Amino acid sequence: MLSFPALPARQKAFTLLELLVVMVIIGLLAGFVAPRYFGQIGKSEVKVARAQIDALEKALDQYRLDTGRYPSSEEGLVSLVAQPSGAAKWAGPYLRKDVPLDPWGRPYVYRFPGEQRDFDVMSYGRDGKPGGNGEDQDIGNW
């Protein structure tokens, strides 16, 4: 016959009040940490966009050295990975992978001739619209 150990008369447990106090403390800590954490994510996305624009700018310069010209706005950045018609001296691909999207999932804007420099490569930032401040600010090669 099986015998089970006897249960103590009164088991120790947390009260509802103690659990609520712990939940409030965790909520306060999350309230202080979360804004700082998400603020750092936004800054890192801007840094990634700047690094990608710099890489695209170098690839475009290499394209110009090989072909004697920058790709037209119509040919676009895809000219860095696929030879456009009329670029006989094309020696690409000039990027190891496909043309990246900006950190917010949108294609970079390429203009030749550019408004700021010989050519413009830019992202409209988090909001995807021209202008803006902070993380919504335009990021370009100027």
Side-chain angles (χ1 to χ4, degrees):
M1 180 184 233
L2 295 172
S3 66
F4 295 101
L7 293 173
R10 184 162 189 244
Q11 292 182 344
K12 300 225 177 202
F14 292 109
T15 65
L16 182 59
L17 181 61
E18 290 170 330
L19 291 174
L20 288 174
V21 168
V22 169
M23 302 257 310
V24 167
I25 290 171
I26 291 172
L28 288 172
L29 288 173
F32 287 121
V33 172
R36 292 181 186 188
Y37 173 73
F38 289 114
Q40 294 301 320
I41 290 175
K43 289 178 186 176
S44 67
E45 288 173 335
V46 170
K47 288 180 183 178
V48 166
R50 290 190 193 284
Q52 287 178 333
I53 288 171
D54 184 54
L56 291 170
E57 187 175 24
K58 289 175 182 170
L60 285 162
D61 286 337
Q62 186 63 45
Y63 178 98
R64 184 187 59 81
L65 288 173
D66 290 345
T67 63
R69 64 177 182 86
Y70 288 112
S72 67
S73 294
E74 292 76 29
E75 292 170 332
L77 295 174
V78 73
S79 300
L80 299 174
V81 292
Q83 183 174 5
S85 60
K89 295 181 181 179
W90 189 85
Y94 299 96
L95 297 172
R96 291 184 182 178
K97 298 179 182 178
D98 287 339
V99 178
L101 297 175
D102 72 8
W104 301 276
R106 289 182 289 278
Y108 284 98
V109 176
Y110 171 72
R111 290 188 199 132
F112 178 76
E115 296 173 5
Q116 306 287 333
R117 298 184 59 195
D118 291 339
F119 62 87
D120 293 340
V121 178
M122 60 186 284
S123 166
Y124 287 131
R126 181 181 62 185
D127 65 353
K129 300 174 187 170
N133 295 314
E135 294 174 39
D136 295 338
Q137 185 175 3
D138 299 347
I139 304 161
N141 64 327
W142 51 85

